[in-house]
Amino acid sequence: MPLIEVQTKINADLEVCFDLARSIDFHKESLKHTDEIPIAGKTFGLIELNEWVSWEARHLGFVQHLTTKITDFESPNYFVGEMIFGAFKTLKHEHLFKSTGVGTLMIDKFYFESPYGFVGKFANWLFLKKYMTKLLSIRNTALKERAEIEQLKKNLKRRNIKGYLYS
């Protein structure tokens, strides 16, 4: 089963990163180029243990449907989403967060297995692993940018400094 691991250094607190990573609203925004929208289950806010969400999105030129459930959860250190319906044979996404003293190291471990035996394995090798890695990187770049802005706002508020920041 292929594994994609992406590590992202973020200049923001664990809690800020953790909450953004489990935000349905942010997920939708960060992958708007795929027309990704939640269509059932938890469709807004912060997803929690044992909650599920069904997504509709356009990937590789096709409209796809995917339902994931949060199967493990320890705030603000990690949570796991696993596919319960979708195009993959299996899919598991571990989200891990570690404090670095100056921010957060966010680690995504994305395990997936394509259906159709040898044909699926060939598709993984040919393009799917690269496509999924790019998708995770796009999302993580957006998360890093948003988390760092949110952290700056939080720090300014804490210091009682008034400023104007774009959101």
Side-chain angles (χ1 to χ4, degrees):
M1 177 178 334
L3 164 64
I4 299 167
E5 184 170 321
V6 178
Q7 296 190 8
T8 308
K9 293 178 184 175
I10 305 171
N11 295 319
D13 294 342
L14 277 173
E15 293 80 7
V16 170
C17 298
F18 184 81
D19 285 347
L20 270 177
R22 65 192 183 102
S23 168
I24 301 293
D25 307 300
F26 177 75
H27 185 91
K28 177 182 168 184
E29 180 185 322
S30 69
L31 294 176
K32 62 185 170 198
H33 68 282
T34 66
D35 299 324
E36 193 145 346
I37 58 169
I39 57 173
K42 179 79 171 186
T43 58
F44 62 90
L46 301 178
I47 198 159
E48 301 277 348
L49 181 64
N50 294 321
E51 292 183 325
W52 59 274
V53 59
S54 290
W55 295 95
E56 179 179 277
R58 183 171 298 281
H59 293 287
L60 304 168
F62 298 96
V63 172
Q64 303 281 326
H65 292 94
L66 175 76
T67 301
T68 58
K69 180 178 180 179
I70 303 303
T71 58
D72 204 355
F73 188 94
E74 184 187 297
S75 178
N77 301 309
Y78 69 90
F79 67 97
V80 178
E82 295 190 61
M83 183 190 78
I84 54 177
F85 173 82
F88 291 97
K89 185 175 179 182
T90 60
L91 184 148
K92 179 179 180 179
H93 188 173
E94 298 177 358
H95 305 260
L96 300 109
F97 304 86
K98 297 180 181 181
S99 179
T100 64
V102 295
T104 300
L105 177 63
M106 182 173 71
I107 304 166
D108 287 277
K109 292 185 178 184
F110 190 86
Y111 304 86
F112 68 98
E113 186 174 359
S114 298
Y116 311 121
F118 175 76
V119 173
K121 287 180 182 179
F122 182 69
N124 291 346
W125 172 81
L126 185 62
F127 66 88
L128 197 53
K129 188 170 182 179
K130 183 177 179 180
Y131 179 82
M132 297 307 297
T133 301
K134 183 177 179 185
L135 201 61
L136 283 171
S137 294
I138 288 169
R139 181 175 182 279
N140 287 2
T141 297
L143 193 145
K144 174 183 172 61
E145 290 171 359
R146 175 64 67 80
E148 290 175 352
I149 289 170
E150 294 302 318
Q151 185 66 51
L152 182 57
K153 288 179 181 179
K154 186 176 171 182
N155 291 347
L156 288 173
K157 187 175 181 181
R158 194 178 311 142
R159 292 182 184 137
N160 241 351
I161 298 172
K162 293 187 178 188
Y164 184 77
L165 295 175
Y166 296 94
S167 53

